[in-house]
Amino acid sequence: MRGIGILAALLAALAALWAAPLRAQADPILVTEISQHEVLVRQGFTGAELLLFGAILEPDGRRGGDDYDIVVILRGPSQAIRIREKQRIAGIWVNAESTSFRSVPSFFALASSAPVADIVDPRTAAIYEFGLDQLQLSPTGTIDQAQYDRFTAGLVDLRRRLGLFQQNENSVTISEGVLYQARISLPSNVVVGRYVAETFAVRGGRVIASASVDVDVRKEGFDRLVAEQSQENAFAYGLLAVAMSVFMGWAAGRLYALV
């Protein structure tokens, strides 16, 4: 009897392994692309608009249908930052409490075909960071929940006003149940580096397919030279900057004396 039980277990395991590829093949296929894989930041750069587009298809090539939604997230390089809270004491604004975050995206933009709350439940939204209120910023040290919420809300509000954090629901258009497109604007103050555009197809509150493409945001021309020298030869760059400041001050003084 024991041998029969082991044999039955082995057969069940083999059946599960055989069925797994069939289940995987049943998932839709998400094809995604972006209008620019490279954004050049030159002198006078005023920003750029990226078009993210693609299609969702069933494994047999048929269109995905009308019962799914699309969420697109464009995320910039992560940064470690420290933020301070201002407090007014005796009419003077002074630094009060502060905290540090290990992983803050330099840019974060979300676009969706419907409000996130109507697409997924809060748990799924938290797992995939669907929304500015779901960002996982990884604070350093010990911090209570109330303080974390206060600092996070302040940081998100500041970066939203700078155009670096965006959330545009109902901005993804889906045509004929198969083609989708979304537009995301990069402001002029973006950080250079590797950006990742992720697209998620959601059906019945579950992410059924995902795909990603990269975007390289980099400086070009004289701006790139200055940026590279400031990082590779920081000491010499600092000396040159001080020397130029002294020279410009001296030259302005001489011109003023001549006038």
Side-chain angles (χ1 to χ4, degrees):
M1 294 295 293
R2 183 180 178 185
I4 295 175
I6 293 174
L7 180 60
L10 287 173
L11 289 174
L14 287 172
L17 288 173
W18 178 78
L22 296 179
R23 287 197 301 269
Q25 290 176 4
D27 289 335
I29 301 168
L30 184 62
V31 182
T32 186
E33 191 51 270
I34 195 165
S35 57
Q36 294 177 248
H37 286 274
E38 186 178 64
V39 176
L40 301 180
V41 179
R42 298 186 176 94
Q43 184 72 27
F45 177 73
T46 58
E49 184 178 70
L50 300 179
L51 172 65
L52 294 97
F53 59 95
I56 182 166
L57 304 169
E58 297 295 344
D60 59 3
R62 293 179 296 110
R63 68 188 183 92
D66 301 320
D67 58 343
Y68 71 91
D69 286 286
I70 291 290
V71 179
V72 175
I73 293 177
L74 180 62
R75 190 190 305 266
S78 295
Q79 302 170 316
I81 66 169
R82 184 175 186 83
I83 57 175
R84 297 182 182 277
E85 200 173 42
K86 295 288 186 179
Q87 185 176 358
R88 192 168 185 174
I89 300 177
I92 301 174
W93 289 99
V94 297
N95 290 330
E97 292 182 329
S98 66
T99 191
S100 297
F101 294 100
R102 289 190 297 269
S103 180
V104 179
S106 55
F107 179 85
F108 182 93
L110 177 143
S112 58
S113 57
V116 171
D118 296 343
I119 297 176
V120 295
D121 57 41
R123 180 176 176 274
T124 304
I127 291 172
Y128 292 97
E129 294 185 292
F130 284 173
L132 295 175
D133 57 340
Q134 302 293 349
L135 288 177
Q136 307 298 319
L137 304 181
S138 305
T140 59
T142 0
I143 180 173
D144 60 55
Q145 188 62 44
Q147 188 182 19
Y148 172 79
D149 292 341
R150 190 171 72 252
F151 276 100
T152 302
L155 174 62
V156 168
D157 178 64
L158 175 61
R159 296 212 161 181
R160 195 166 193 168
R161 285 188 277 116
L162 292 172
L164 296 173
F165 281 2
Q166 306 168 19
Q167 182 163 334
N168 301 307
E169 298 173 313
N170 294 314
S171 63
V172 177
T173 59
I174 302 176
S175 305
E176 301 179 3
V178 58
L179 302 174
Y180 71 88
Q181 67 173 16
R183 296 182 184 274
I184 294 178
S185 297
L186 289 175
S188 58
N189 55 340
V190 290
V191 173
V192 297
R194 177 175 168 268
Y195 286 59
V196 179
E198 298 176 284
T199 303
F200 303 89
V202 182
R203 176 185 290 161
R206 185 175 68 91
V207 174
I208 57 173
S210 64
S212 66
V213 292
D214 294 344
V215 182
D216 184 25
V217 178
R218 61 185 181 87
K219 291 184 180 293
E220 186 71 9
F222 180 73
D223 290 346
R224 180 182 180 182
L225 177 63
V226 172
E228 287 177 351
Q229 291 303 313
S230 66
Q231 295 176 3
E232 297 173 5
N233 303 297
F235 182 72
Y237 174 80
L239 288 178
L240 180 60
V242 171
M244 288 184 65
S245 298
V246 171
F247 173 76
M248 294 299 292
W250 174 83
R254 294 293 297 171
L255 288 174
Y256 180 77
L258 291 174
V259 173

